[in-house]
Amino acid sequence: MSMTSNFADCLRDWEDLEKDYQHIQETQRLYREKLDEVARLQTSCSGAISRQKKQLRQLSQALRTYKDSASGAEVCAIDEIQAQINNRPNTFFEMEAFLPKKNGLYLRLVLGNVNVTLLSKQAKFAYKDEYEKFKLCLTIIILVFSFSLRFLMSTRALDAAFSFLLVWYYCTLTVRESILISNGSRIKGWWVVHHYVSAFLSGVMLTWPNGTFYQQFRNPYLAYCLYQKGFQSWMWRGLTFLLPFLFFGHFWQLYNGLLLFQLTRHPDCKEWQVLMCGLSFMVLFLGNFCTTLAVVKQKFQSKKK
């Protein structure tokens, strides 16, 4: 009796699983149909936007040509149409954030022509949130690593591991930021360039052989890394009172660049890494200093308005 009951239960379980399997097959079929439909809509929408942009450019040029001989009422109508035309790029930008687009040169070199466009705001927010968590986690690791190298241990092998970590970190940031830009994020161009330069600088430090000049620059460099990760990662979170610390970090970059240029003047300095690191720090200083001034000026102007 017990075996019959157990077998009957198994049959019922199998029937339930079979129904669920049929439902899965139907759902998967609908899913593939929707994917094909989405692909067709994406192609249609992208083509329509491209045509609209081209026609708007032609119309704008024609209106400018006609405006010279237009009457007063026509000039007002032309200005109104022109104002609406000028607002269209912002709308198209928001539309294209959800449409597949060709990857930039950097992403093509790294990922090929893989589509990196996320199709929903939730997915975009989740990716941006994961990007911020990645930066925070690596910042803590770099802080601990740089503190240990500066105060607790001193071996070239660990220095090389630290430089390799920085190269990987900044290269990963550039890839993630390129994906964010492809999905509509308005990341300032300098911050992306900053990470390219930082990756190059870390790579040069990785190849710098151990010697007198490396040891002279090692401790200032590690102290700079410790300061940078300790303060600059939180600078743009509304903490205006930390701006002096931010500018201090910028002038530290200037100091590092001048120190390295001074080392290049030594007659025994034959290492190309000294000059390359010096140039990298000067580029970082100029870019960061000018960008920070522009952001501060913009914030003050916004407050006045």
Side-chain angles (χ1 to χ4, degrees):
M1 184 68 178
S2 177
M3 290 181 61
T4 304
S5 176
N6 289 337
F7 181 69
D9 291 340
C10 291
L11 285 177
R12 283 193 296 270
D13 291 341
W14 169 249
E15 291 174 356
D16 292 339
L17 288 172
E18 186 67 16
K19 292 179 182 179
D20 188 49
Y21 175 70
Q22 297 296 331
H23 177 70
I24 292 173
Q25 284 188 316
E26 179 63 19
T27 303
Q28 201 269 344
R29 183 187 64 80
L30 290 173
Y31 171 71
R32 293 178 61 180
E33 289 181 357
K34 295 297 183 183
L35 281 181
D36 292 338
E37 183 179 356
V38 166
R40 290 194 297 270
L41 289 173
Q42 287 174 340
T43 303
S44 175
C45 190
S46 297
I49 290 175
S50 297
R51 289 193 300 272
Q52 179 89 178
K53 286 181 177 180
K54 181 179 179 180
Q55 292 169 357
L56 286 174
R57 285 194 298 268
Q58 294 173 348
L59 176 60
S60 180
Q61 184 177 1
L63 289 174
R64 283 195 298 269
T65 303
Y66 181 73
K67 187 176 181 179
D68 296 334
S69 59
S71 63
E74 290 174 336
V75 169
C76 293
I78 290 173
D79 289 339
E80 183 178 349
I81 295 173
Q82 196 68 52
Q84 296 185 37
I85 291 175
N86 293 336
N87 289 331
R88 290 289 173 85
N90 293 329
T91 305
F92 290 147
F93 179 83
E94 295 177 359
M95 291 180 179
E96 289 174 332
F98 295 92
L99 294 172
K101 58 180 70 69
K102 290 183 178 180
N103 293 335
L105 176 62
Y106 182 63
L107 279 182
R108 287 203 304 272
L109 292 174
V110 176
L111 302 176
N113 291 321
V114 177
N115 179 25
V116 296
T117 305
L118 303 173
L119 299 182
S120 68
K121 288 185 176 181
Q122 292 80 4
K124 294 177 187 291
F125 289 143
Y127 189 81
K128 180 70 184 306
D129 184 61
E130 198 274 334
Y131 163 79
E132 296 294 343
K133 290 179 180 178
F134 170 80
K135 287 203 301 182
L136 178 59
C137 179
L138 266 294
T139 295
I140 295 173
I141 294 174
I142 293 171
L143 268 173
V144 174
F145 207 162
S146 58
F147 178 86
S148 301
L149 290 175
R150 176 63 181 83
F151 298 106
L152 303 178
M153 58 191 74
S154 177
T155 63
R156 186 65 184 93
L158 288 177
D159 289 355
F162 177 69
S163 296
F164 181 81
L165 174 64
L166 290 177
V167 171
W168 174 80
Y169 169 66
Y170 286 119
C171 289
T172 304
L173 281 185
T174 58
V175 174
R176 292 178 180 239
E177 286 166 349
S178 297
I179 293 175
L180 286 172
I181 293 172
S182 295
N183 283 277
S185 293
R186 298 178 183 269
I187 301 175
K188 289 185 178 295
W190 165 248
W191 303 128
V192 180
V193 175
H194 175 276
H195 292 148
Y196 285 116
V197 177
S198 297
F200 174 78
L201 172 62
S202 302
V204 174
M205 290 295 299
L206 177 63
T207 63
W208 194 344
N210 194 13
T212 303
F213 298 102
Y214 175 81
Q215 290 299 326
Q216 288 184 22
F217 185 66
R218 178 184 182 274
N219 286 341
Y221 174 70
L222 290 173
Y224 161 76
C225 292
L226 186 61
Y227 178 88
Q228 182 192 43
K229 293 303 175 183
F231 285 99
Q232 292 189 15
S233 298
W234 291 274
M235 282 300 175
W236 297 111
R237 302 183 186 274
L239 303 180
T240 308
F241 68 91
L242 289 178
L243 279 175
F245 296 97
L246 181 62
F247 281 111
F248 180 77
H250 296 343
F251 283 103
W252 197 337
Q253 292 169 339
L254 175 62
Y255 168 77
N256 285 341
L258 295 176
L259 174 62
L260 288 163
F261 286 149
Q262 185 178 3
L263 292 178
T264 60
R265 299 173 61 184
H266 195 283
D268 294 332
C269 181
K270 307 297 183 183
E271 299 156 2
W272 61 268
Q273 289 88 349
V274 181
L275 177 61
M276 290 295 101
C277 286
L279 291 174
S280 299
F281 272 112
M282 294 303 295
V283 171
L284 290 175
F285 163 71
L286 291 174
N288 286 332
F289 184 73
C290 295
T291 303
T292 302
L293 286 180
V295 172
V296 171
K297 179 181 178 181
Q298 183 180 5
K299 286 183 178 292
F300 276 117
Q301 289 177 345
S302 299
K303 287 183 178 180
K304 288 181 180 180
K305 291 181 180 180

